[in-house]
Amino acid sequence: MSELVWKTIGPARPQGIAVPPVSMSLNGYTLTYDPSSGRVLYVCGPGYGGTGETWSFDGTQWTKLVERVIQFGDGGMYQGGYDSARQGVMLWRKGNGIVWEPEDEGEGEDGEDGEDGDDGEDGDDGEEEAAEEQEEPVKRTVPMGMLLTADSAKPLRTTGNMDFGNVRASGSPAMLLAFDPLRSVWVCLTRVGVWELGLDNAWVERTRSIEGVPPKWTDEGFGSGYDAARKSVVFWVFDHSDDIYCFFAWDGTTLTPLPGIPRTMAPDAEADDDPESQQPNQLIATHPQHGLVCFQHEKGALGLPPGSASWIKLDGLPQGPPLMKNAQMVWSPTLDAFVSGPGEHEGSSDAQRLFYLTGATCLQMGVRAEKSPIDEASYSTSRHAVWRGRWYAVSKSCLEMWGWDDAQGWLPVVTEEQSKEGTEWGWSDVTLVATDSALLAVRGDGAVYAYDGTAWSDRGVEVPPSFTKREQFTLAAQPDGTLVLWGGRIDSRRLNDTFILSGGKWRAAANLSRVPTDFANIKKEIFVDFDACWDSKLGAVVRFGHDDVAILMSEIWQPFKVSGYDSNLIGPRDRAHIPCHDPRTGQTLLIDLEELRVGRFDIGGCTELAKVAPAPLLKTEVEEPVTWKSLHETCAFDAENLRLLGQDKEDRWGTFALDLAPAFAAAQALGMRSIPSPVPPPAPGAVLYRITDAGAQSWGYRVLGSQLEISVGPLAAPRTETSDLGSAEAALAEATRQEAARVADGYR
């Protein structure tokens, strides 16, 4: 069986130096300098709550040194740095009252022989081995520490206690930690005091005199380091109350407040609504000559040398990296440059996979991820269709529209403001369908708008009172432009009515159809979506569910049980049975993006034709890209070129085409498709309606020989009862009697 492969289309992705991944956890990474190797080290966590993957940067490329996943505790906010006394990187996090027992000297590592202790990404092995070392956890208030070396990961067992104070803001750091290489101690600043940890692994309180330390810190804009120019450890936090940076120096005896960055020197002071405020998006680090250094991008760099009463401009340093939150920066004497990243850039709430080398110039490493322009659609949801050979995306709840260009990508065609001109558009669900004359957008209340290649216009169609406003309805177009609309939802209630648009008017189908068998599946919490398409070979609209396949014949949905149409070919959700019809070959394919397979639809029996390779997405989940999660909402079938198009909204350059021509050829090679016998229209009858506060109610009958079939109840899902009256005359007489009674009761 052949495998179909997604091809990337559109503009080529920009290229850059390969960089390490971004840690999934909040602040779950450490960027530090290793003086023994003369390299910058980056420790990140490839899973939530996990860390330990270590990379090295030599000024030219990043190299993975250790690939492991360890977990200690259940939090993701880590701090750390290189510990020259212990010859490794120390990671710290708030202990939440539980730390490892300071007794046995067990290894407690996730790979005693230097090999990775966990081949997966969930870190279970490291967590289990750490748990073995703490069978009886001791409840103390101290940071939890993990020492990472090239061949081990060991919990640091400590004694003593400390006070974090009142941590008021959710997600705010409970402490700041920095290593003093001259005194070989870790220094911890909390909201109430300073503690130190020496080589005896005992936390000792040094002072509670910390004047000026704000009680409320944000979870952004904090950091620490060793300032060789001052021969002191320095800390900085962003005051949650006053929106300013606060700086402090600790020399082993006294915590001294340092001058803050003047508000007027903040790069965002002029643009912010409050010119007196700052934002926690600046890069701060220590430098052996300048002391503290702060990069403010286009505003340049500031420095706070020892003994200076204020920050000064550093004209000798280049324009630094873009402003970003939660990024770290470290000075490398070997490279004579700063290394910084990764962080959250403007317009994004996720850390970008970017690093920067700032020496004589500022070099960006990696390629910035950008969302697709169609992500700007309402609630990031768009509808897609190919019309006259061009792929269009329309905002779900208005008529803002983009058109695809192979050379430039998505281009705006109709702005949100333009879409509202003369359309009286409301925030209602919309479904797209392409006809020869126009691309149509059908709203849930029955309104229809047409795009003729220039602008949208309201077709002003007539909508009968029996048409109930709905969402998630199924829509298909016949070759003559007639539209068939079926079902949908009102809140959680499924509808089972059919309307046909022709001659500028919606009308209810002439006959009622039975409730699909899939409605019973839905009640069993098997969530089923319905799709429909025109099938030129059958000469009818076909509706696809999960158990249910129905063909519209004589304006009745005629159900068929089709062999092979089951979980071996399709799934219940719309992403698992996307219909694609080629009128030239007369073949219909069903694409399952969940199980990555393609099948041929035939009333006489369905057949799987091909497998589909996973789309080459930039973002991966678990072990491989999950194609349907990223693409199915944007998929559109290009019938002219026999390809399925899809856009990853999270990735501007993630646009793909799946060539279905081989699958259509394979389907045609199987021979003629089965054509079901036409179902004759039902015997004469009547369908009456009455609009009540509970919605549209229907009553209808059909006389089938001596049988009388009565359908009554909500228009969306009437119940049907059949009785045999012995003769056609008796059945018609009873139907006439009941019809008169209904008319007298207000039905029309």
Short mmCIF file of all heavy atoms in Angstrom, two decimals, residues 480-514:
data_model
loop_
_atom_site.label_atom_id
_atom_site.label_comp_id
_atom_site.label_asym_id
_atom_site.label_seq_id
_atom_site.Cartn_x
_atom_site.Cartn_y
_atom_site.Cartn_z
N ASP A 480 -25.70 23.20 -10.05
CA ASP A 480 -26.47 24.35 -10.51
C ASP A 480 -26.51 25.48 -9.50
O ASP A 480 -27.19 26.49 -9.71
CB ASP A 480 -27.90 23.92 -10.87
CG ASP A 480 -28.66 23.36 -9.66
OD1 ASP A 480 -28.06 23.26 -8.56
OD2 ASP A 480 -29.84 23.02 -9.84
N GLY A 481 -25.77 25.34 -8.39
CA GLY A 481 -25.73 26.38 -7.38
C GLY A 481 -26.73 26.20 -6.26
O GLY A 481 -26.72 26.98 -5.28
N THR A 482 -27.61 25.22 -6.36
CA THR A 482 -28.56 24.94 -5.29
C THR A 482 -27.80 24.47 -4.06
O THR A 482 -26.88 23.65 -4.15
CB THR A 482 -29.56 23.85 -5.71
OG1 THR A 482 -30.30 24.34 -6.83
CG2 THR A 482 -30.51 23.51 -4.59
N LEU A 483 -28.18 25.01 -2.88
CA LEU A 483 -27.53 24.62 -1.63
C LEU A 483 -28.44 23.68 -0.85
O LEU A 483 -29.66 23.86 -0.81
CB LEU A 483 -27.21 25.85 -0.77
CG LEU A 483 -26.28 26.91 -1.36
CD1 LEU A 483 -25.92 27.93 -0.30
CD2 LEU A 483 -25.02 26.28 -1.93
N VAL A 484 -27.82 22.71 -0.21
CA VAL A 484 -28.52 21.79 0.68
C VAL A 484 -27.93 21.95 2.07
O VAL A 484 -26.71 21.78 2.26
CB VAL A 484 -28.38 20.33 0.20
CG1 VAL A 484 -29.04 19.38 1.20
CG2 VAL A 484 -28.99 20.16 -1.19
N LEU A 485 -28.78 22.30 3.02
CA LEU A 485 -28.35 22.51 4.41
C LEU A 485 -29.07 21.50 5.28
O LEU A 485 -30.31 21.38 5.21
CB LEU A 485 -28.64 23.93 4.85
CG LEU A 485 -28.21 24.35 6.26
CD1 LEU A 485 -27.92 25.85 6.29
CD2 LEU A 485 -29.26 24.03 7.32
N TRP A 486 -28.29 20.82 6.10
CA TRP A 486 -28.90 19.82 6.99
C TRP A 486 -28.38 19.98 8.41
O TRP A 486 -27.18 20.22 8.63
CB TRP A 486 -28.58 18.40 6.53
CG TRP A 486 -29.07 17.35 7.52
CD1 TRP A 486 -30.32 16.86 7.63
CD2 TRP A 486 -28.29 16.73 8.54
NE1 TRP A 486 -30.39 15.96 8.67
CE2 TRP A 486 -29.16 15.86 9.24
CE3 TRP A 486 -26.96 16.81 8.94
CZ2 TRP A 486 -28.73 15.08 10.32
CZ3 TRP A 486 -26.52 16.04 10.01
CH2 TRP A 486 -27.40 15.19 10.68
N GLY A 487 -29.31 19.82 9.36
CA GLY A 487 -28.94 19.65 10.76
C GLY A 487 -28.25 20.83 11.39
O GLY A 487 -28.55 21.99 11.13
N GLY A 488 -27.32 20.52 12.27
CA GLY A 488 -26.65 21.52 13.08
C GLY A 488 -27.02 21.34 14.54
O GLY A 488 -27.57 20.32 14.96
N ARG A 489 -26.75 22.37 15.30
CA ARG A 489 -27.01 22.30 16.74
C ARG A 489 -27.63 23.59 17.23
O ARG A 489 -27.34 24.68 16.74
CB ARG A 489 -25.71 22.06 17.52
CG ARG A 489 -25.01 20.75 17.21
CD ARG A 489 -23.80 20.59 18.10
NE ARG A 489 -23.01 19.42 17.76
CZ ARG A 489 -21.93 19.03 18.42
NH1 ARG A 489 -21.49 19.73 19.45
NH2 ARG A 489 -21.27 17.95 18.05
N ILE A 490 -28.47 23.45 18.22
CA ILE A 490 -28.91 24.58 19.05
C ILE A 490 -28.46 24.24 20.45
O ILE A 490 -29.00 23.33 21.08
CB ILE A 490 -30.44 24.77 18.99
CG1 ILE A 490 -30.89 25.05 17.56
CG2 ILE A 490 -30.87 25.90 19.91
CD1 ILE A 490 -32.40 25.16 17.41
N ASP A 491 -27.45 24.93 20.92
CA ASP A 491 -26.76 24.55 22.15
C ASP A 491 -26.25 23.12 21.98
O ASP A 491 -25.50 22.84 21.07
CB ASP A 491 -27.67 24.72 23.35
CG ASP A 491 -28.06 26.19 23.57
OD1 ASP A 491 -27.21 27.06 23.28
OD2 ASP A 491 -29.19 26.46 23.98
N SER A 492 -26.72 22.19 22.81
CA SER A 492 -26.26 20.81 22.70
C SER A 492 -27.25 19.93 21.95
O SER A 492 -27.02 18.73 21.80
CB SER A 492 -26.01 20.23 24.09
OG SER A 492 -27.20 20.24 24.86
N ARG A 493 -28.35 20.50 21.48
CA ARG A 493 -29.38 19.70 20.82
C ARG A 493 -29.09 19.59 19.33
O ARG A 493 -28.87 20.57 18.64
CB ARG A 493 -30.76 20.34 21.05
CG ARG A 493 -31.91 19.55 20.41
CD ARG A 493 -33.24 20.00 21.00
NE ARG A 493 -33.52 21.38 20.72
CZ ARG A 493 -34.19 21.81 19.64
NH1 ARG A 493 -34.62 20.93 18.76
NH2 ARG A 493 -34.44 23.08 19.46
N ARG A 494 -29.14 18.37 18.82
CA ARG A 494 -28.92 18.10 17.41
C ARG A 494 -30.21 18.32 16.62
O ARG A 494 -31.30 17.98 17.08
CB ARG A 494 -28.45 16.66 17.21
CG ARG A 494 -27.08 16.37 17.79
CD ARG A 494 -26.00 16.65 16.77
NE ARG A 494 -24.68 16.26 17.26
CZ ARG A 494 -23.62 16.15 16.49
NH1 ARG A 494 -23.70 16.41 15.21
NH2 ARG A 494 -22.45 15.81 16.99
N LEU A 495 -30.07 18.85 15.41
CA LEU A 495 -31.22 19.07 14.54
C LEU A 495 -31.21 18.05 13.40
O LEU A 495 -30.15 17.59 12.96
CB LEU A 495 -31.17 20.49 13.96
CG LEU A 495 -31.11 21.63 14.97
CD1 LEU A 495 -31.01 22.96 14.25
CD2 LEU A 495 -32.31 21.61 15.90
N ASN A 496 -32.39 17.75 12.89
CA ASN A 496 -32.52 16.77 11.81
C ASN A 496 -33.44 17.29 10.71
O ASN A 496 -34.23 16.56 10.15
CB ASN A 496 -33.05 15.44 12.35
CG ASN A 496 -33.14 14.38 11.27
OD1 ASN A 496 -32.26 14.27 10.44
ND2 ASN A 496 -34.22 13.61 11.26
N ASP A 497 -33.34 18.58 10.43
CA ASP A 497 -34.17 19.14 9.37
C ASP A 497 -33.30 19.46 8.16
O ASP A 497 -32.08 19.60 8.26
CB ASP A 497 -34.93 20.38 9.84
CG ASP A 497 -34.01 21.40 10.51
OD1 ASP A 497 -32.80 21.12 10.63
OD2 ASP A 497 -34.50 22.45 10.95
N THR A 498 -33.93 19.58 7.00
CA THR A 498 -33.22 19.85 5.76
C THR A 498 -33.86 21.03 5.05
O THR A 498 -35.09 21.10 4.92
CB THR A 498 -33.27 18.62 4.83
OG1 THR A 498 -32.74 17.49 5.52
CG2 THR A 498 -32.46 18.86 3.56
N PHE A 499 -33.01 21.97 4.60
CA PHE A 499 -33.49 23.13 3.85
C PHE A 499 -32.71 23.22 2.55
O PHE A 499 -31.52 22.88 2.47
CB PHE A 499 -33.32 24.41 4.67
CG PHE A 499 -34.31 24.55 5.79
CD1 PHE A 499 -34.04 24.00 7.03
CD2 PHE A 499 -35.53 25.18 5.58
CE1 PHE A 499 -34.96 24.12 8.06
CE2 PHE A 499 -36.45 25.30 6.60
CZ PHE A 499 -36.17 24.76 7.84
N ILE A 500 -33.41 23.69 1.54
CA ILE A 500 -32.84 23.80 0.20
C ILE A 500 -32.95 25.25 -0.26
O ILE A 500 -34.02 25.86 -0.15
CB ILE A 500 -33.56 22.86 -0.78
CG1 ILE A 500 -33.36 21.40 -0.33
CG2 ILE A 500 -33.07 23.06 -2.20
CD1 ILE A 500 -34.21 20.41 -1.06
N LEU A 501 -31.84 25.79 -0.75
CA LEU A 501 -31.81 27.17 -1.23
C LEU A 501 -31.75 27.17 -2.75
O LEU A 501 -30.78 26.69 -3.35
CB LEU A 501 -30.59 27.91 -0.67
CG LEU A 501 -30.40 29.35 -1.17
CD1 LEU A 501 -31.57 30.23 -0.74
CD2 LEU A 501 -29.08 29.93 -0.68
N SER A 502 -32.79 27.71 -3.36
CA SER A 502 -32.81 27.90 -4.81
C SER A 502 -33.74 29.06 -5.11
O SER A 502 -34.72 29.29 -4.38
CB SER A 502 -33.30 26.63 -5.53
OG SER A 502 -34.61 26.31 -5.14
N GLY A 503 -33.43 29.81 -6.15
CA GLY A 503 -34.26 30.95 -6.50
C GLY A 503 -34.31 32.02 -5.44
O GLY A 503 -35.29 32.76 -5.34
N GLY A 504 -33.26 32.14 -4.62
CA GLY A 504 -33.22 33.19 -3.59
C GLY A 504 -34.06 32.91 -2.37
O GLY A 504 -34.27 33.81 -1.55
N LYS A 505 -34.54 31.67 -2.20
CA LYS A 505 -35.39 31.34 -1.05
C LYS A 505 -34.94 30.02 -0.43
O LYS A 505 -34.60 29.07 -1.14
CB LYS A 505 -36.85 31.21 -1.48
CG LYS A 505 -37.47 32.46 -2.05
CD LYS A 505 -38.92 32.20 -2.44
CE LYS A 505 -39.58 33.44 -3.04
NZ LYS A 505 -40.98 33.18 -3.43
N TRP A 506 -34.94 29.99 0.90
CA TRP A 506 -34.80 28.73 1.60
C TRP A 506 -36.19 28.11 1.72
O TRP A 506 -37.16 28.78 2.03
CB TRP A 506 -34.25 28.93 3.02
CG TRP A 506 -32.79 29.23 3.13
CD1 TRP A 506 -32.24 30.42 3.48
CD2 TRP A 506 -31.71 28.33 2.94
NE1 TRP A 506 -30.87 30.34 3.49
CE2 TRP A 506 -30.51 29.04 3.17
CE3 TRP A 506 -31.62 26.99 2.55
CZ2 TRP A 506 -29.26 28.47 3.06
CZ3 TRP A 506 -30.36 26.41 2.45
CH2 TRP A 506 -29.20 27.14 2.70
N ARG A 507 -36.27 26.83 1.50
CA ARG A 507 -37.51 26.11 1.76
C ARG A 507 -37.18 24.79 2.42
O ARG A 507 -36.10 24.21 2.21
CB ARG A 507 -38.28 25.86 0.47
CG ARG A 507 -37.56 24.98 -0.54
CD ARG A 507 -38.44 24.62 -1.73
NE ARG A 507 -37.72 23.82 -2.71
CZ ARG A 507 -37.54 22.51 -2.63
NH1 ARG A 507 -38.05 21.83 -1.57
NH2 ARG A 507 -36.88 21.84 -3.55
N ALA A 508 -38.10 24.33 3.25
CA ALA A 508 -37.90 23.04 3.89
C ALA A 508 -38.01 21.94 2.85
O ALA A 508 -38.77 22.06 1.86
CB ALA A 508 -38.93 22.82 4.99
N ALA A 509 -37.25 20.87 3.02
CA ALA A 509 -37.34 19.73 2.12
C ALA A 509 -38.78 19.24 2.08
O ALA A 509 -39.52 19.31 3.07
CB ALA A 509 -36.41 18.62 2.57
N ALA A 510 -39.16 18.74 0.93
CA ALA A 510 -40.56 18.34 0.74
C ALA A 510 -40.96 17.21 1.66
O ALA A 510 -42.15 17.05 1.99
CB ALA A 510 -40.78 17.93 -0.72
N ASN A 511 -39.99 16.42 2.13
CA ASN A 511 -40.32 15.26 2.94
C ASN A 511 -39.41 15.20 4.17
O ASN A 511 -38.26 15.65 4.13
CB ASN A 511 -40.17 13.97 2.13
CG ASN A 511 -41.04 13.98 0.89
OD1 ASN A 511 -42.26 13.90 0.97
ND2 ASN A 511 -40.40 14.09 -0.28
N LEU A 512 -39.94 14.65 5.25
CA LEU A 512 -39.16 14.47 6.45
C LEU A 512 -38.29 13.23 6.32
O LEU A 512 -38.65 12.26 5.65
CB LEU A 512 -40.08 14.32 7.67
CG LEU A 512 -40.97 15.53 7.98
CD1 LEU A 512 -41.88 15.22 9.16
CD2 LEU A 512 -40.12 16.75 8.29
N SER A 513 -37.13 13.26 6.99
CA SER A 513 -36.22 12.12 6.99
C SER A 513 -36.09 11.55 8.39
O SER A 513 -36.24 12.27 9.39
CB SER A 513 -34.83 12.54 6.49
OG SER A 513 -34.89 13.02 5.16
N ARG A 514 -35.81 10.28 8.44
CA ARG A 514 -35.65 9.63 9.73
C ARG A 514 -34.40 10.14 10.44
O ARG A 514 -33.44 10.58 9.80
CB ARG A 514 -35.57 8.12 9.56
CG ARG A 514 -36.90 7.48 9.16
CD ARG A 514 -36.75 5.98 9.03
NE ARG A 514 -38.04 5.35 8.81
CZ ARG A 514 -38.63 5.24 7.63
NH1 ARG A 514 -38.04 5.75 6.56
NH2 ARG A 514 -39.81 4.64 7.50
#
